[in-house]
Amino acid sequence: MKTNKETENEADEIIRKADATCTEILEKAAREAKEIKEQAVANAKKQAEADLLQAKEEGEVLKKQASEKTEQETEALKALAQGKEEEAVSAVIKALL
């Protein structure tokens, strides 16, 4: 039969092993959690950069469209003004004659 001392020693050894295993598991979990967090942050940054690039591209497209529309409206106003100028010149000439 085992003596009480041997049984206590075995129990202490089992407790030490369990404690060591527990510590290893907690350290591994902490490392994995850190890696997951770092990967999530990296993914979020990549997505934010992609979103920003897309927003800039959309902004450039809208800017170009607005510029083209403004140019068209300016040309239309110039054409209208030229027609009115010709009418005004004709009216002044008629008035002078």
Side-chain angles (χ1 to χ4, degrees):
M1 280 186 136
K2 293 182 183 177
T3 65
N4 282 342
K5 187 67 173 166
E6 289 175 342
T7 305
E8 286 177 10
N9 287 342
E10 288 176 5
D12 287 343
E13 183 62 26
I14 291 170
I15 291 171
R16 276 193 292 275
K17 285 181 181 180
D19 192 36
T21 302
C22 179
T23 301
E24 288 176 20
I25 291 169
L26 291 174
E27 288 173 353
K28 182 179 178 183
R31 283 191 307 271
E32 289 177 359
K34 182 180 177 185
E35 290 173 8
I36 291 169
K37 180 182 175 185
E38 289 171 353
Q39 187 62 45
V41 169
N43 290 344
K45 284 182 181 179
K46 284 181 184 178
Q47 186 61 48
E49 289 171 0
D51 291 347
L52 179 60
L53 181 61
Q54 182 179 357
K56 284 181 180 180
E57 290 173 354
E58 290 174 0
E60 288 298 321
V61 168
L62 291 174
K63 181 179 173 183
K64 184 178 178 183
Q65 289 174 344
S67 178
E68 290 172 355
K69 184 176 180 181
T70 301
E71 185 65 31
Q72 290 172 352
E73 290 175 355
T74 301
E75 292 301 319
L77 287 173
K78 283 181 183 178
L80 181 63
Q82 186 176 8
K84 296 291 183 184
E85 180 182 9
E86 291 172 5
E87 288 179 26
V89 169
S90 293
V92 168
I93 291 174
K94 284 182 185 177
L96 290 175
L97 296 177

